[in-house]
Amino acid sequence: MYDVPIGVFTSIDAGLGVNFEVVCELGLKSIQLHTPRRESRTPAGASAFLYKLWEHGIKITTIFLGFEGESYETIEITSQTVGFVPPKTRAARLVEAFEISDFAKLLGVTYIGSHIGFVPHDRRSNEYAEVVETIRSLCKYLQKNSQALTLETGQESVQALLTFIDDVACNNIYINFDPANLILYGIGNPIEALKLVGRKVRGVHCKDAIATKGTPGVDWGQEVPFGSGEVNAEEFIKTLQKIGYKGALTIEREIPEQPEKQKEEIGAAVNLINSIKIKIND
Ligand code: MG
């Protein structure tokens, strides 16, 4: 019986994902949360939010790191602004990630997700060593809080991501698999990639996309509702079942400028996933 929870990528006061109120309206019981702003990450903020979660019977599976100054406007801007790769913000963001980990602990959350940024390609470069060392420090900090790190897929091939994970050499580093990102960044077939990294997957995003008609890796593809792009939603979920993934199927839809459409499309994705689960269990 394949009966894993359906979740949605959510925010409460900032960042990516759908607003928390919409999750309640849709009656979903599982979320990944994009980290709240610094001023909300207090013990009082955690208590108030825990009460809301309890009221609605919602469980947080992962808190995603997010930092001021990050922008996904173009692939080039993403590489300059997102995660721990840009050197100017690296040290401060590491400290902030520790704070977010402590906040997540107050909420009882054990997985911390991260877009770490575009990992440098040359494994012998100083830059690569510095990024490895930064992520190792983060993993060690998370270990003290009994937490694990999940790296979002997309910016590099999954082989490169596995090599990076091996180089970090910590036992609490895994993958949050976003199949649409592989298409958006022009990396390749998400189902084949999922089979390669199966043992490392601890979270997923049910997101979809169409590849760019321009230059892959330079021009963005287009994000589309789950099930209407090139991911092959049914094959994706069947493959997750085959690799033994038992975590939540977390829907991600990033069109905050169209909240009504966003809510409707998340609802449609829930129906689609339920219909695929029925087929799997038939
Ligand atoms: Mg994602």
Side-chain angles (χ1 to χ4, degrees), residues 123 128 132 136 151 159-170 173 199-200:
R123 282 179 79 201
Y128 183 87
V132 165
R136 191 178 292 142
L151 304 180
Q159 289 90 343
L161 201 60
L162 287 174
T163 303
F164 179 77
I165 287 173
D166 282 346
D167 288 340
V168 172
C170 290
I173 180 167
R199 67 196 162 84
K200 280 283 175 193

Side-chain angles (χ1 to χ4, degrees), residues 135-172:
I135 299 304
R136 191 178 292 142
S137 306
L138 177 57
C139 287
K140 287 188 173 160
Y141 193 91
L142 298 186
Q143 230 155 24
K144 283 191 251 166
N145 278 341
S146 306
Q147 293 163 331
L149 182 67
T150 54
L151 304 180
E152 176 88 337
T153 52
Q155 297 91 336
E156 42 278 311
S157 70
V158 288
Q159 289 90 343
L161 201 60
L162 287 174
T163 303
F164 179 77
I165 287 173
D166 282 346
D167 288 340
V168 172
C170 290
N171 60 9
N172 62 337

Side-chain angles (χ1 to χ4, degrees), residues 1-281:
M1 178 78 178
Y2 192 58
D3 190 23
V4 295
I6 298 176
V8 61
F9 193 58
T10 308
S11 59
I12 45 176
D13 64 0
L16 303 170
V18 72
N19 287 335
F20 184 76
E21 287 66 34
V22 177
V23 182
C24 303
E25 287 162 20
L26 288 169
L28 292 167
K29 302 299 176 195
S30 168
I31 60 170
Q32 287 193 359
L33 182 71
H34 200 235
T35 185
R37 289 179 205 273
R38 184 174 250 143
E39 54 271 26
S40 309
R41 295 194 303 255
T42 60
S47 298
F49 191 50
L50 276 172
Y51 183 77
K52 267 193 191 178
L53 293 168
W54 172 81
E55 252 185 336
H56 295 279
I58 294 171
K59 185 179 163 24
I60 309 178
T61 55
T62 300
I63 289 193
F64 250 83
L65 301 178
F67 305 108
E68 216 165 286
E70 290 186 320
S71 166
Y72 295 88
E73 201 181 324
T74 64
I75 292 184
E76 178 61 23
I77 292 173
T78 303
S79 76
Q80 288 165 7
T81 63
V82 169
F84 295 99
V85 176
K88 261 195 230 161
T89 46
R90 191 182 294 144
R93 285 182 176 179
L94 183 60
V95 172
E96 191 171 354
F98 294 166
E99 292 166 13
I100 295 169
S101 159
D102 291 343
F103 179 73
K105 193 181 181 188
L106 293 176
L107 293 174
V109 176
T110 52
Y111 285 109
I112 304 297
S114 176
H115 282 267
I116 57 169
F118 285 67
V119 175
H121 291 307
D122 183 359
R123 282 179 79 201
R124 290 158 306 178
S125 67
N126 286 342
E127 207 194 352
Y128 183 87
E130 283 163 17
V131 177
V132 165
E133 193 46 53
T134 303
I135 299 304
R136 191 178 292 142
S137 306
L138 177 57
C139 287
K140 287 188 173 160
Y141 193 91
L142 298 186
Q143 230 155 24
K144 283 191 251 166
N145 278 341
S146 306
Q147 293 163 331
L149 182 67
T150 54
L151 304 180
E152 176 88 337
T153 52
Q155 297 91 336
E156 42 278 311
S157 70
V158 288
Q159 289 90 343
L161 201 60
L162 287 174
T163 303
F164 179 77
I165 287 173
D166 282 346
D167 288 340
V168 172
C170 290
N171 60 9
N172 62 337
I173 180 167
Y174 299 100
I175 286 173
N176 188 81
F177 195 93
D178 184 327
N181 281 354
L182 277 84
I183 294 168
L184 289 168
Y185 288 92
I187 299 299
N189 182 309
I191 307 291
E192 292 314 308
L194 177 60
K195 289 176 188 165
L196 278 176
V197 296
R199 67 196 162 84
K200 280 283 175 193
V201 176
R202 293 294 183 278
V204 301
H205 286 163
C206 292
K207 192 172 91 184
D208 215 332
I210 296 170
T212 178
K213 291 187 175 56
T215 313
V218 177
D219 302 312
W220 274 132
Q222 189 198 348
E223 192 199 319
V224 296
F226 188 59
S228 66
E230 294 170 6
V231 164
N232 190 340
E234 186 168 331
E235 209 44 46
F236 177 58
I237 293 172
K238 282 183 172 169
T239 307
L240 285 170
Q241 189 241 350
K242 280 185 199 142
I243 64 170
Y245 174 75
K246 296 199 171 58
L249 302 172
T250 303
I251 299 160
E252 182 180 11
R253 186 69 177 116
E254 302 294 356
I255 45 166
E257 66 288 357
Q258 296 169 277
E260 281 306 313
K261 194 164 177 251
Q262 186 185 38
K263 181 179 169 181
E264 193 186 304
E265 289 177 357
I266 292 168
V270 171
N271 293 340
L272 174 66
I273 295 170
N274 275 327
S275 71
I276 296 170
K277 278 163 74 178
I278 289 169
K279 273 192 198 173
I280 290 175
N281 291 322

